[in-house]
Amino acid sequence: MMWKKYLKKREAETFKEQGNAYYAKKDYNEAYNYYTKAIDACPNNASYYGNRAATLMMLGKFREALGDAQQSVRLDDTFVRGHLREGKCHLSLGNAMAASRCFQRVLELDHTNPQAQQELKNASAVLEYERIAEIDFEKRDFRKVVFCMDRALEFAPACHRFKILKAECLALLGRYPEAQSVASDILRMDSTNADALYVRGLCLYYEDCIEKAVQFFIQALRMAPDHEKACLACRNAKALKAKKEDGNKAFKEGNYKLAYELYTEALGIDPNNIKTNAKLYCNRGTVNSKLRKLEDAIDDCTNAIKLDDTYIKAYLRRAQCYMDTEQYEDAVRDYEKVYQTEKTKEHKQFLKNAQVELKKSKRKDYYKILGVDKNASEDEIKKAYRKRALMHHPDRHSGASAEIQKEEEKKFKEVGEAFTILSDPKKKARYDSGQDLEEDGMNMADFDANNIFKAFFGGPGGFSFEASGPGNFFFQFG
């Protein structure tokens, strides 16, 4: 019996030495196989479990390594390397408190152990990063949380909890591809990880792929029915989808008031969903433009752009509202942004139209001077001229102050200019198209308003201004 035991021990030592040789060559899979053979031959040897734990750690299998390290110290509580490896596994998996206890045990056995001293500091650093991250998450300082988790993961590379928190914060920061990548890596190792499924859903939810997001939230809740974040996100996603669809339906049916109310309710569901809310603001802006609440429509489109500055539809809607409210410089700025992003013929034409209107707006508005609409008939233009010319004629204001006389004379001249242009079909067409009239040989500076007035009213003697009391005049026609 003793002989058999001796042979088994010799065999186990041989397996261990072979394992050591493979370990030295960094062939960790073969080293693992031989350490396993050693354990099978002699299952009560602490160093064999310790060696296999070291091999599993090199293979990145910290959870399995932890089991072997724990078994090694159960067999021999004075096994320093066993405690070190157990602590290192705990730390790599993100359990810094358990790791600290292991390193403290090493220091009880070996007061000056430099590795234990350093690893104890590392464990303390991880605990501090966790503490700061928790506070910053509550403050919604997600960048700081990502920073803390990156630092913690340098010491705890296998900690799913830290990776998930980082991924969640990346999603909340709008860095969806990075967040998806972290969550996908975890799901490759553990397809049932509810936190990773939740983060995948969160990314889709924030990218306005709400239907797909709901599927991931439901899957996460199947794995962990009490997952509060997945439950809340699922509820918000379903409510947001329903409200948005109801708003779209009301809009298509022409019920703009109801559409406005539904989009407003949808905007109150989740302020963190930037992309969906940008679309909701733009949709509500469209509703406001239909209701002719153009300034409100501009505000909604501006809010949409603040949330998503690449949202072309919001720029186009706002630019049209700027055109409708004659804010041409703002319209040109928006159309320029659109054309720089998407150089289509349609966008080029929008920009050109806005530039023409801007140019026209900087000239005198002859329609406004005469007080007529841009579609006024020839007859309406004549009537308007008659009324305004008589109103501002210098003779009518001969008794006024020099300042008033000067102002009325200026208005009289402008009325004549306006009539000259708008009563001539060719000049009117050039003016309406935004052409520079002075470039076409019309020098308005040399214009004589009196000649137009005389021609219109039939020349000298055709009328006279007579006073009928202080400040009052009547017109007598010959």
Side-chain angles (χ1 to χ4, degrees):
M1 189 71 177
M2 290 288 291
W3 180 248
K4 279 188 178 181
K5 217 171 181 182
Y6 171 75
L7 287 176
K8 274 285 180 187
K9 194 173 179 183
R10 282 285 304 273
E11 185 183 29
E13 278 295 307
T14 303
F15 288 140
K16 186 194 86 167
E17 285 167 13
Q18 287 175 296
N20 289 348
Y22 281 113
Y23 187 95
K25 291 191 284 187
K26 299 183 180 179
D27 187 345
Y28 301 118
N29 286 310
E30 277 302 306
Y32 172 83
N33 290 336
Y34 279 100
Y35 290 140
T36 301
K37 288 177 182 179
I39 289 168
D40 290 342
C42 190
N44 297 318
N45 187 302
S47 69
Y48 297 166
Y49 285 100
N51 287 3
R52 191 167 72 174
T55 304
L56 287 165
M57 287 166 72
M58 297 306 292
L59 289 167
K61 297 178 178 180
F62 292 100
R63 202 162 293 284
E64 293 172 53
L66 177 62
D68 275 351
Q70 287 173 326
Q71 180 61 14
S72 76
V73 297
R74 271 195 292 269
L75 292 168
D76 180 2
D77 187 48
T78 64
F79 185 30
V80 168
R81 279 185 295 175
H83 286 296
L84 279 171
R85 285 163 188 162
E86 182 188 357
K88 190 69 177 169
C89 288
H90 278 308
L91 188 57
S92 296
L93 292 164
N95 192 343
M97 285 293 287
S100 296
R101 286 194 292 272
C102 294
F103 300 133
Q104 281 162 355
R105 176 61 182 145
V106 172
L107 291 172
E108 286 170 14
L109 297 167
D110 178 3
H111 301 298
T112 60
N113 189 291
Q115 189 181 350
Q117 289 171 342
Q118 183 56 54
E119 292 294 359
L120 198 56
K121 287 178 185 175
N122 294 345
S124 296
V126 169
L127 286 169
E128 182 63 10
Y129 286 129
E130 280 190 83
R131 187 188 69 79
I132 295 168
E134 188 178 347
I135 293 167
D136 287 325
F137 190 88
E138 288 300 315
K139 290 181 184 173
R140 302 186 65 78
D141 188 350
F142 302 124
R143 288 181 195 283
K144 187 88 173 285
V145 179
V146 170
F147 172 82
C148 287
M149 289 301 95
D150 278 337
R151 299 290 79 75
L153 283 162
E154 289 172 8
F155 303 114
C159 181
H160 285 181
R161 189 163 45 88
F162 294 168
K163 288 177 181 178
I164 286 295
L165 181 55
K166 175 186 172 179
E168 184 179 0
C169 290
L170 287 170
L172 291 165
L173 288 166
R175 292 159 64 179
Y176 307 120
E178 293 171 74
Q180 289 270 30
S181 176
V182 174
S184 296
D185 285 345
I186 291 170
L187 287 169
R188 270 194 289 275
M189 291 181 275
D190 178 8
S191 62
T192 64
N193 189 299
D195 291 324
L197 290 166
Y198 159 70
V199 170
R200 284 292 306 274
L202 198 65
C203 291
L204 290 163
Y205 171 62
Y206 285 145
E207 288 181 292
D208 199 39
C209 301
I210 293 178
E211 208 165 317
K212 283 184 182 177
V214 168
Q215 291 171 10
F216 274 97
F217 295 143
I218 289 170
Q219 207 176 337
L221 288 166
R222 280 201 199 105
M223 301 302 160
D226 297 328
H227 199 295
E228 287 181 16
K229 288 182 178 179
C231 188
L232 177 63
C234 192
R235 191 162 63 241
N236 283 347
K238 287 178 177 179
L240 205 50
K241 183 173 181 282
K243 285 285 181 195
K244 186 181 174 188
E245 286 176 355
D246 288 347
N248 292 347
K249 187 183 176 203
F251 180 83
K252 284 174 186 172
E253 291 171 355
N255 192 341
Y256 301 130
K257 189 180 175 187
L258 177 59
Y260 178 89
E261 288 170 3
L262 289 164
Y263 289 141
T264 301
E265 286 172 20
L267 280 164
I269 291 171
D270 184 1
N272 295 320
N273 195 323
I274 290 169
K275 278 210 171 182
T276 302
N277 287 344
K279 290 182 180 180
L280 288 167
Y281 271 120
C282 189
N283 287 1
R284 196 173 73 173
T286 305
V287 170
N288 275 323
S289 71
K290 291 287 185 184
L291 294 167
R292 303 311 295 165
K293 295 179 178 178
L294 297 178
E295 288 301 329
D296 288 345
I298 289 169
D299 287 343
D300 276 340
C301 292
T302 299
N303 283 326
I305 291 163
K306 279 178 186 172
L307 293 175
D308 181 2
D309 63 2
T310 65
Y311 193 11
I312 294 298
K313 192 176 176 182
Y315 282 106
L316 287 169
R317 171 61 54 199
R318 187 171 72 173
Q320 184 56 58
C321 290
Y322 281 140
M323 291 290 284
D324 292 342
T325 52
E326 299 183 3
Q327 299 177 65
Y328 300 120
E329 285 188 11
D330 291 323
V332 167
R333 187 190 64 242
D334 277 358
Y335 282 133
E336 280 174 342
K337 171 77 175 176
V338 169
Y339 186 61
Q340 284 165 8
T341 308
E342 292 182 2
K343 287 184 165 57
T344 67
K345 284 184 181 178
E346 184 184 27
H347 294 161
K348 187 177 183 179
Q349 190 58 50
F350 284 149
L351 175 58
K352 189 177 177 183
N353 292 345
Q355 287 168 334
V356 167
E357 290 302 322
L358 175 60
K359 186 177 179 183
K360 284 161 68 174
S361 73
K362 290 183 182 296
R363 306 173 311 172
K364 289 177 184 175
D365 187 340
Y366 290 138
Y367 291 103
K368 197 172 181 180
I369 288 167
L370 285 185
V372 293
D373 185 77
K374 289 182 180 180
N375 298 314
S377 65
E378 190 178 337
D379 221 32
E380 288 170 328
I381 289 168
K382 283 180 179 177
K383 283 179 185 175
Y385 173 69
R386 178 190 295 274
K387 178 183 174 183
R388 296 291 172 113
L390 292 172
M391 186 188 300
H392 298 298
H393 195 284
D395 290 353
R396 185 180 182 188
H397 303 280
S398 58
S401 67
E403 192 179 343
I404 291 174
Q405 284 186 37
K406 190 175 179 182
E407 183 62 28
E408 292 299 327
E409 189 177 342
K410 180 186 172 187
K411 289 179 180 176
F412 178 69
K413 184 179 179 182
E414 286 178 341
V415 167
E417 281 181 29
F419 180 68
T420 301
I421 301 305
L422 299 183
S423 62
D424 184 319
K426 287 184 180 177
K427 289 174 186 170
K428 182 176 183 296
R430 286 202 296 273
Y431 175 78
D432 288 344
S433 67
Q435 291 181 45
D436 194 325
L437 296 170
E438 291 194 6
E439 287 178 7
D440 295 337
M442 282 288 300
N443 188 349
M444 304 312 287
D446 298 333
F447 176 81
D448 191 335
N450 285 310
N451 288 339
I452 295 297
F453 187 85
K454 287 172 186 175
F456 187 88
F457 285 103
F463 68 95
S464 65
F465 291 91
E466 292 187 12
S468 62
N472 296 315
F473 294 86
F474 68 89
F475 310 110
Q476 183 177 352
F477 294 89

